[in-house]
Amino acid sequence: MAISIGKLVFVCIFLILCVEMPRSLANEYVVGDKRGWSPGVDYHPWAYGKSFRVGDVLHFFYAPKVIDVASVDISSYALCDSNIKTFYKDNSGQTSITLDKSGPYYFISTSKKGCFEGLKLELHVI
């Protein structure tokens, strides 16, 4: 059974579009917009109404070495305690995180003071 060149080209183009389209539909968000990742900002209103999807990218901008951002589990988030379970931590001042799976994500500052001053973000990815 022979496949025509035209059908083969169509299948190749279709496969390329299936791989590339989700990437092109990804959104990029600056956490906190102009205020960035800093104490005293309420991140619940910032996240409210946004539809975060797999492939989207979060950009955290903050004072390097003074503030940090950590991806944590729900217990660490609730208690502002990064010693429970931390998946990722960075203090470079510019952290980009790709949301690579659906479900809840939790981010905090590993400084208890910073976390209790509002440096915590919960969001759900669909």
Side-chain angles (χ1 to χ4, degrees), residues 32-110:
D33 296 323
K34 292 179 182 175
R35 297 179 76 185
W37 183 242
S38 58
V41 176
D42 184 357
Y43 293 96
H44 295 289
W46 175 83
Y48 183 78
K50 292 179 175 61
S51 294
F52 298 99
R53 300 186 184 283
V54 173
D56 287 353
V57 180
L58 300 178
H59 299 287
F60 292 83
F61 296 106
Y62 51 93
K65 311 255 189 264
V66 175
I67 297 174
D68 65 5
V69 61
S71 173
V72 297
D73 71 350
I74 190 169
S75 297
S76 298
Y77 175 83
L79 299 171
C80 282
D81 187 351
S82 62
N83 293 319
I84 298 172
K85 180 80 178 205
T86 299
F87 303 112
Y88 175 81
K89 178 179 156 183
D90 183 44
N91 67 353
S92 67
Q94 297 182 12
T95 303
S96 296
I97 296 175
T98 301
L99 305 172
D100 60 358
K101 64 183 186 304
S102 62
Y105 281 77
Y106 305 96
F107 301 98
I108 65 170
S109 168
T110 61

